[in-house]
Amino acid sequence: MTPPPHRSLASTLYPVALLLIAMASIQSGASLAKSMFPVVGAQGTTTLRLIFASLIMLLLLRPWRAKLTAQSLRTVIVYGMALGGMNFLFYMSVRTVPLGIAVALEFTGPLAVAIYASRRAIDFLWIALAVAGLLLLIPTGATTAGIDLLGAGYALGAGFCWALYILFGQKAGADNGVQTAALGVMIAALFVAPIGIVHAGAALLTPSLIPIAIGVAILSTALPYTLEMIALTRMPARTFGTLMSIEPAIAALSGLVFLQEYLSLAQWTAIACIILASVGATLTMANTAKPVVAAD
């Protein structure tokens, strides 16, 4: 028998490059989204992003071809609401919390899912690292330094929604595959739109915002989701999850470059702790576990 050919360096690096571009795209989109906050707030920004993202994915993925039962429809609805809540709470967080810190706090959601799914003794190390990161980010007692606690709470809430997104996304995706993403984004838009409309009103129709909103929808949803799905088909799920764990660092760098958000040494250390916890949990999780892509 002829031995299978070794993968070339280019074929190995290709999915890694796609994933790095996807993560950079998501965080660039988040930085761009903050420019809309003064006009329509985080609520209106989330609404515009999800509306345009749903239109794009409607055209690309044609979700009307999905075959839904009553049970799968309920799963998709919860999945879409979790996606909408994750986006909404994340944008509410970055109003007052630096981008890198918000993403690090949000990562506690998928980290908790990974650790719960594994339940090994070594997971206590990852829990300890994550807790250390949280203690460095969120001041306790009489400490006055640190970040806005309400904003941190929004980020942790986004993490909780991300955990639900993973759990219900796996169930929904098993039924309808990639079309689930389009259905989820459409439901998320319907879920969040009333909040954005009540908050921003006619400002949502500001002509100068439309190109920015389309850019945010492409950078934060359509482009990264497509690239991540391609990358996931070309690398082991564990490698995918490990690389995704560096996203808080990419978010911090994006905040520094685009938003001039300077972090302290303690905050960088906290982000590093959460990244290490996420990497460790990913590397020690069961082989059957599969990461679920998500766009903030």
Side-chain angles (χ1 to χ4, degrees):
M1 291 180 62
T2 303
H6 294 289
R7 295 186 65 188
S8 67
L9 180 62
S11 63
T12 300
L13 294 179
Y14 176 65
V16 175
L18 291 182
L19 195 54
L20 292 174
I21 292 171
M23 288 188 283
S25 177
I26 289 174
Q27 302 311 325
S28 299
S31 300
L32 181 61
K34 289 192 73 171
S35 68
M36 300 169 60
F37 287 6
V39 182
V40 293
Q43 301 91 330
T45 300
T46 311
T47 296
L48 288 174
R49 170 195 163 174
L50 288 174
I51 287 175
F52 283 110
S54 63
L55 291 175
I56 293 170
M57 298 186 79
L58 179 69
L59 294 174
L60 292 177
L61 301 179
R62 293 173 286 181
W64 58 82
R65 298 186 302 176
K67 298 178 181 180
L68 298 174
T69 64
Q71 182 176 356
S72 63
L73 178 61
R74 287 194 295 269
T75 301
V76 169
I77 289 174
V78 176
Y79 163 75
M81 292 176 66
L83 176 60
M86 179 175 66
N87 282 266
F88 173 72
L89 292 172
F90 178 76
Y91 278 176
M92 292 293 287
S93 172
V94 297
R95 294 182 306 171
T96 57
V97 173
L99 186 60
I101 294 177
V103 173
L105 291 172
E106 186 188 27
F107 248 71
T108 57
L111 176 59
V113 172
I115 291 174
Y116 179 79
S118 181
R119 302 182 189 178
R120 299 179 181 179
I122 196 172
D123 290 330
F124 287 104
L125 173 60
W126 316 135
I127 293 172
L129 278 172
V131 170
L134 291 176
L135 291 177
L136 285 171
L137 288 178
I138 303 176
T140 56
T143 305
T144 57
I147 60 174
D148 174 63
L149 291 182
L150 179 60
Y154 282 131
L156 292 172
F160 176 75
C161 289
W162 194 348
L164 293 178
Y165 168 92
I166 291 172
L167 297 174
F168 284 90
Q170 289 174 335
K171 296 177 182 178
D175 293 330
N176 292 288
V178 71
Q179 292 174 339
T180 299
L183 292 170
V185 174
M186 293 171 62
I187 292 169
L190 293 173
F191 175 59
V192 173
I195 302 173
I197 292 171
V198 169
H199 176 81
L204 291 171
L205 302 177
T206 303
S208 60
L209 285 184
I210 303 305
I212 301 175
I214 294 175
V216 171
I218 293 173
L219 288 172
S220 295
T221 303
L223 177 61
Y225 186 87
T226 302
L227 294 179
E228 287 171 351
M229 292 302 295
I230 295 173
L232 186 55
T233 63
R234 287 168 169 78
M235 66 170 61
R238 181 168 295 178
T239 304
F240 179 94
T242 302
L243 289 172
M244 284 292 292
S245 299
I246 69 172
E247 190 163 5
I250 293 179
L253 291 174
S254 180
L256 176 63
V257 172
F258 296 111
L259 302 172
Q260 289 72 56
E261 294 177 343
Y262 297 92
L263 304 183
S264 67
L265 178 60
Q267 290 170 333
W268 278 107
T269 303
I271 290 174
C273 287
I274 292 174
I275 288 174
L276 288 174
S278 182
V279 170
T282 301
L283 292 176
T284 57
M285 71 169 57
N287 289 326
T288 55
K290 294 183 180 180
V292 176
V293 299
D296 291 319

